[in-house]
Amino acid sequence: MQTLVNVSNRLPVTVGKTIRQASGGLTAALEGLLSDAFRLKWVGWPGAPVSAAERREEIAHFLLQEYNYVPVYLTRSEVNGHYHGFANSSLWPILHYMPNYMHYDEQWWETYLEVNQRFAECILETADEDAIIWVHDYQLMVLPRLLRRARPKQRIGFFLHTPFPSYEIFRCHPKRVELVEGLLGADLVGFHTYGYLRHFRSTVLRLLGLESHAAAVAHDTGHTHLGVYPIGINAPKFEAELASPRSARARQQIRKNFAGRRIVLSVERLDYTKGIPNRLDAIDRFLSSYPDLDRLVFIFVSVPSRESVFEYQQLREQVQRQVGEINGRYATMANSPIHFIYNPIKFEELAALYSLADVCLVTPLIDGMNLVAKEYVACQDENPGVLVLSEFAGAAEELFNALTVNPYDVGQVADALQRALDMPEDERRQRMRQMRARVTAFDAQHWAKSFCDDLVKHEERTDSLDMSAETEAVILDRFRRAGRIAFFLDYDGSLREFESEPHLASPDSEILELVNRIQGVPSVDPYIISGRDAQQLETWFGSFAVTLVAEHGYLFHRPGARRWETLNASGDFSWKPRVLEVLRDYEGETPGSVVEEKGSALVWHYRKSDPEFGSWKAHALAGELYEMLANLPVEIHHGKKIVEVSSIYVNKGAAMERFMREGRYDLGFCAGDDQTDETMFRLERDDLLSVKIGEGATRARYRVRDPRRFRALLRQILDLLESRAQ
Ligand code: GDG
């Protein structure tokens, strides 16, 4: 059985004189998963500062024995910096579209990193390489990357319980890049809704320049898959509770306390995202014209939350003031309209309240999902009530049979309340039946299972990007046995890393030294074979005894020659004027894009355009060109931030074949990173040794991860060839 190491900021326990298991939403979700699929371990902070080493050990021992929980102990100042500070005062407001509530302190970031690191260490001690690690929520956003560094092959998932906001909001956070990079350490990142996933993709693209395809982001350490998993609730637990005598007693008590009154219920942590002041305004508006004040009660269950954070203290004062004012204004001798409970209530009371409430008013300004809405639905059976639900809760996407409202629109919420109270039983029943079916079918168990199934399903992280020692030995052996050798080396992305601007990617001293060494080996003819123009290649490498091949094989220049020559002068280039006209149109329509004219090709570059707009236009352009040029001797290539049209008679493969023929080499060593290099790789001749640099499908025989590793391989080859020549 596979071990699932679940990691959340808090362990679901309360540590005092005794230790009790606390069942939060996540506990409920995972309870379902513990059947026969996984053996669960849970890593997290136990929620209380424990300083005495002996007591720490005692608690750790108990938690492990009793629940299979592994505590990460944090000091008071770590909790302040990591949890109250960075997570709740800087990240939470940004994730909830409220940058004006954000506070930031550089020290918090340091603590956030330290605490995430502490979690990483604890997990690495606890989990072996085969375990699946599932990290939860915004308190641990850099953890996946820390784990990935230590364990390249470990299966790691991350689920974000909050919304992921649009890039325009997320970019406000001072550590936006580090946070997003942190998540990309995971194999799978899950969100409640497609909207959040979309925002994340666009943020990854805009912040890091990484494009994502089919819900996966490719980056330097592999792929991160993205998925939508709307969290569900532990419906059976509510059903079982409602069937129990304990709950029957709680219900009886509530009926007695609020006899003769219809109940409108709200349940939440006291948080500024939950829209409590706006809701109270709506209630105020509603009560101002409601005739039957004796027969209606609003029960607010507000659980104290993050009381050390200033905004939460302020909110509590504001809410208490508003409640006081409304109660003062609308109280009668028999009733006070708002029954405000600023405390958690017992589970049986919660379930009883859910089942008895005529209306549940769930009106967050923004909410990742909102479990309360689903829990209310799950508890509606006989004579069901009505759910009034904010359209800004993730749950609104699934619970579309609720009365959905814009929580900022006081009048609309007041009207919805009236409509809910007036709704005929038939309609209530019909709406609730559909929602209930969904909430019970797609419950917490289903959520956790679908996330874990996907996490397990995604193919093994490939380590083929790193060449093994055996492969290196095979390659070196080919060189050892060859007589005359030609090197066909691509430049950008192969010998040299990409830069934001092509002209910045000039060869540094390491590359110049390598080229110098290659030209010095007696039995070797070097070719630098690139898409760049002749002038650029000559400026950089003109002084070496190297054959330069420019424009993907259109032009070449022998060492010491006076002129550049064309490799295939007889090709048909009559298509160029028509294509140029189209590309110029796209240049005009797409700010930041430019057209480059080459001898055998025309290129539209959109590296500097808005990434999404640029990529959209590039797809449109490529489509248009495919249609327009279907019967002409051209190739259309949509590459890294370019769309290129080139003659089919001209390509690196054709050029290389000619040089191989003329030079009568025993071995052709070709290396490159993109589609244009595939024309060399696909020749698949026995006298070729091909190396692809980086990710992506390829016909090359071998692969290395990046230019740095490719240069290291070249050095090894040169060491061998030089020692052979001596
Ligand atoms: C975050 C996201 C997302 C509340 N009062 C009492 C009580 N509760 C329980 C409810 C419910 C849970 O607390 C609250 O969950 P929510 O989903 O409504 O909200 P957050 O706490 O903000 O949770 C949210 C969630 O993570 C899961 O991904 O849906 O969007 O913000 O289960 O029942 N339970 C008891 N007494 C109370 O007084 N026993």
Side-chain angles (χ1 to χ4, degrees):
M1 201 192 291
Q2 197 157 25
T3 302
L4 171 69
V5 180
N6 193 62
V7 189
S8 61
N9 181 56
R10 272 288 260 119
L11 277 179
V13 290
T14 336
V15 174
K17 283 203 182 81
T18 58
I19 300 172
R20 278 182 303 115
Q21 198 179 22
S23 71
L26 190 54
T27 335
L30 290 162
E31 269 165 17
L33 198 67
L34 297 181
S35 49
D36 33 33
F38 296 101
R39 189 184 319 113
L40 182 75
K41 265 196 179 176
W42 196 322
V43 173
W45 174 54
V50 185
S51 43
E54 210 172 289
R55 176 75 177 136
R56 283 186 174 197
E57 262 179 43
E58 192 187 322
I59 293 173
H61 182 76
F62 176 83
L63 290 176
L64 192 63
Q65 293 299 311
E66 202 70 14
Y67 308 119
N68 228 5
Y69 291 172
V70 182
V72 179
Y73 289 110
L74 302 176
T75 64
R76 208 175 287 277
S77 83
E78 281 170 338
V79 173
N80 281 336
H82 166 253
Y83 183 64
H84 298 305
F86 193 85
N88 287 340
S89 299
S90 85
L91 256 178
W92 177 268
I94 286 289
L95 293 168
H96 290 87
Y97 287 82
M98 299 185 182
N100 49 326
Y101 283 5
M102 180 178 83
H103 300 280
Y104 188 73
D105 181 335
E106 199 62 34
Q107 186 54 46
W108 292 347
W109 168 242
E110 297 302 322
T111 314
Y112 186 80
L113 282 180
E114 281 161 26
V115 169
N116 274 255
Q117 183 61 44
R118 187 87 58 76
F119 269 77
E121 284 156 18
C122 177
I123 294 162
L124 294 171
E125 274 172 32
T126 306
D128 58 30
E129 301 232 356
D130 297 335
I132 295 178
I133 300 176
W134 187 5
V135 180
H136 294 267
D137 231 0
Y138 62 102
Q139 301 92 350
L140 300 171
M141 279 174 83
V142 296
L143 182 55
R145 187 179 166 96
L146 297 174
L147 293 170
R148 175 65 61 218
R149 276 201 204 131
R151 297 257 179 94
K153 288 209 234 165
Q154 187 100 39
R155 198 59 57 88
I156 304 168
F158 180 93
F159 188 83
L160 185 69
H161 290 260
T162 68
F164 195 93
S166 89
Y167 168 67
E168 295 305 334
I169 296 291
F170 193 74
R171 70 190 300 196
C172 300
H173 198 284
K175 295 296 171 206
R176 58 206 181 168
V177 171
E178 290 85 344
L179 292 166
V180 169
E181 284 180 341
L183 293 188
L184 294 183
D187 295 288
L188 174 64
V189 177
F191 302 89
H192 286 307
T193 72
Y194 180 66
Y196 308 157
L197 183 152
R198 204 163 39 80
H199 291 149
F200 181 72
R201 273 176 69 165
S202 132
T203 299
V204 168
L205 175 65
R206 280 151 197 279
L207 277 184
L208 309 180
L210 298 173
E211 305 221 16
S212 34
H213 301 288
V217 187
H219 47 77
D220 59 354
T221 58
H223 281 92
T224 297
H225 294 266
L226 308 175
V228 177
Y229 310 90
I231 196 170
I233 57 157
N234 190 348
K237 190 170 168 192
F238 280 93
E239 278 162 15
E241 184 63 37
L242 288 177
S244 74
R246 184 172 80 160
S247 169
R249 280 195 298 276
R251 265 206 305 262
Q252 204 175 14
Q253 188 63 48
I254 294 169
R255 275 205 196 95
K256 195 167 136 215
N257 293 349
F258 299 100
R261 280 172 278 181
R262 301 182 77 187
I263 296 174
V264 180
L265 176 68
S266 296
V267 179
E268 63 242 318
R269 283 182 306 100
L270 193 96
D271 193 298
Y272 47 76
T273 60
K274 304 287 181 186
I276 306 170
N278 305 56
R279 190 184 315 143
L280 286 167
D281 283 345
I283 290 172
D284 193 351
R285 171 88 61 97
F286 169 81
L287 288 175
S288 66
S289 58
Y290 191 70
D292 214 355
L293 291 174
D294 281 347
R295 290 167 48 84
L296 182 67
V297 64
F298 291 86
I299 300 181
F300 271 64
V301 178
S302 287
V303 181
S305 178
R306 306 172 193 176
E307 288 177 291
S308 63
V309 177
F310 174 70
E311 278 75 16
Y312 289 75
Q313 297 163 5
Q314 236 185 0
L315 177 68
R316 193 196 65 204
E317 282 169 23
Q318 182 186 351
V319 167
Q320 285 178 336
R321 193 175 52 244
Q322 271 183 291
V323 169
E325 283 168 7
I326 293 174
N327 275 345
R329 202 170 302 138
Y330 302 103
T332 64
M333 288 300 280
N335 190 21
S336 179
I338 301 179
H339 188 86
F340 183 69
I341 307 172
Y342 183 56
N343 259 319
I345 57 173
K346 291 188 201 130
F347 182 66
E348 63 266 29
E349 293 168 335
L350 181 70
L353 266 179
Y354 279 147
S355 74
L356 290 175
D358 297 275
V359 179
C360 190
L361 205 46
V362 182
T363 58
L365 303 179
I366 174 105
D367 212 335
M369 173 54 70
N370 194 292
L371 297 178
V372 168
K374 292 189 171 183
E375 290 165 359
Y376 174 68
V377 166
C379 294
Q380 299 304 296
D381 196 0
E382 293 297 301
N383 192 14
V386 180
L387 174 65
V388 177
L389 178 60
S390 161
E391 62 190 68
F392 301 124
E397 287 191 7
E398 292 174 85
L399 304 179
F400 48 82
N401 296 106
L403 291 184
T404 47
V405 291
N406 170 359
Y408 293 93
D409 186 342
V410 168
Q412 195 198 24
V413 177
D415 289 349
L417 194 48
Q418 184 66 59
R419 197 176 152 204
L421 288 166
D422 293 344
M423 193 180 283
E425 189 178 336
D426 269 2
E427 186 180 347
R428 280 186 274 132
R429 219 177 263 293
Q430 200 183 348
R431 285 174 180 265
M432 200 52 85
R433 192 176 52 236
Q434 295 183 12
M435 293 196 281
R436 209 158 169 254
R438 174 152 191 114
V439 163
T440 44
F442 301 101
D443 63 357
Q445 188 171 353
H446 177 272
W447 167 76
K449 187 170 179 320
S450 52
F451 183 91
C452 290
D453 282 352
D454 279 359
L455 182 54
V456 174
K457 178 179 81 191
H458 286 307
E459 83 254 33
E460 292 282 333
R461 282 185 84 80
T462 164
D463 64 342
S464 64
L465 282 175
D466 286 320
M467 199 177 266
S468 69
E470 296 91 81
T471 310
E472 272 171 12
V474 171
I475 291 177
L476 290 176
D477 194 50
R478 287 288 301 270
F479 280 95
R480 198 172 284 121
R481 289 188 285 117
R484 285 177 51 71
I485 305 169
F487 279 45
F488 298 100
L489 307 179
D490 170 49
Y491 181 69
D492 293 279
S494 303
L495 270 176
R496 174 71 160 90
E497 287 82 358
F498 279 108
E499 293 289 342
S500 55
E501 300 281 340
H503 72 272
L504 295 176
S506 56
D508 57 12
S509 56
E510 184 192 353
I511 294 174
L512 294 176
E513 200 223 314
L514 269 173
V515 175
N516 189 38
R517 281 180 70 185
I518 302 173
Q519 67 162 8
V521 183
S523 54
V524 167
D525 282 346
Y527 297 79
I528 291 182
I529 186 159
S530 162
R532 292 220 181 221
D533 64 28
Q535 198 190 351
Q536 183 71 84
L537 289 185
E538 198 164 355
T539 311
W540 286 342
F541 300 108
S543 61
F544 293 99
V546 171
T547 300
L548 302 176
V549 186
E551 294 193 20
H552 303 303
Y554 179 59
L555 294 165
F556 71 100
H557 181 265
R558 294 282 189 194
R562 295 241 302 281
R563 275 204 312 271
W564 284 76
E565 294 173 56
T566 44
L567 264 154
N568 191 332
S570 59
D572 170 11
F573 294 106
S574 59
W575 47 268
K576 280 180 79 180
R578 284 165 63 197
V579 172
L580 185 61
E581 202 178 314
V582 175
L583 298 196
R584 290 272 178 232
D585 283 348
Y586 274 76
E587 185 184 49
E589 291 161 8
T590 319
S593 73
V594 287
V595 173
E596 184 191 2
E597 294 185 54
K598 295 180 170 182
S600 66
L602 293 169
V603 192
W604 182 70
H605 294 261
Y606 62 100
R607 194 186 290 247
K608 286 196 170 166
S609 304
D610 175 281
E612 271 167 308
F613 185 56
S615 142
W616 177 45
K617 294 295 281 185
H619 279 106
L621 171 60
E624 200 171 316
L625 290 171
Y626 279 122
E627 264 184 39
M628 179 177 139
L629 304 172
N631 299 318
L632 289 170
V634 293
E635 257 178 353
I636 298 154
H637 167 55
H638 185 178
K640 290 176 187 157
K641 303 280 183 187
I642 57 148
V643 175
E644 175 162 9
V645 182
S646 57
S647 160
I648 53 164
Y649 303 117
V650 177
N651 60 60
K652 290 184 178 182
M656 186 181 74
E657 277 211 299
R658 171 166 159 185
F659 292 124
M660 283 295 286
R661 201 169 49 240
E662 285 178 3
R664 295 169 185 276
Y665 301 108
D666 299 320
L667 178 66
F669 173 52
C670 55
D673 71 307
D674 73 9
Q675 283 303 317
T676 65
D677 302 301
E678 293 294 322
T679 57
M680 301 193 281
F681 304 154
R682 72 176 173 225
L683 295 175
E684 290 181 351
R685 298 161 47 137
D686 288 345
D687 55 357
L688 279 189
L689 198 158
S690 49
V691 176
K692 157 99 176 168
I693 291 103
E695 292 218 319
T698 186
R699 301 283 286 274
R701 284 285 290 281
Y702 304 103
R703 188 198 294 273
V704 290
R705 181 182 286 271
D706 52 30
R708 190 171 62 80
R709 274 166 244 230
F710 178 58
R711 293 193 297 268
L713 175 68
L714 271 177
R715 269 192 293 276
Q716 276 184 284
I717 295 170
L718 287 166
D719 288 346
L720 175 106
L721 294 176
E722 285 165 351
S723 69
R724 193 178 71 171
Q726 277 165 12

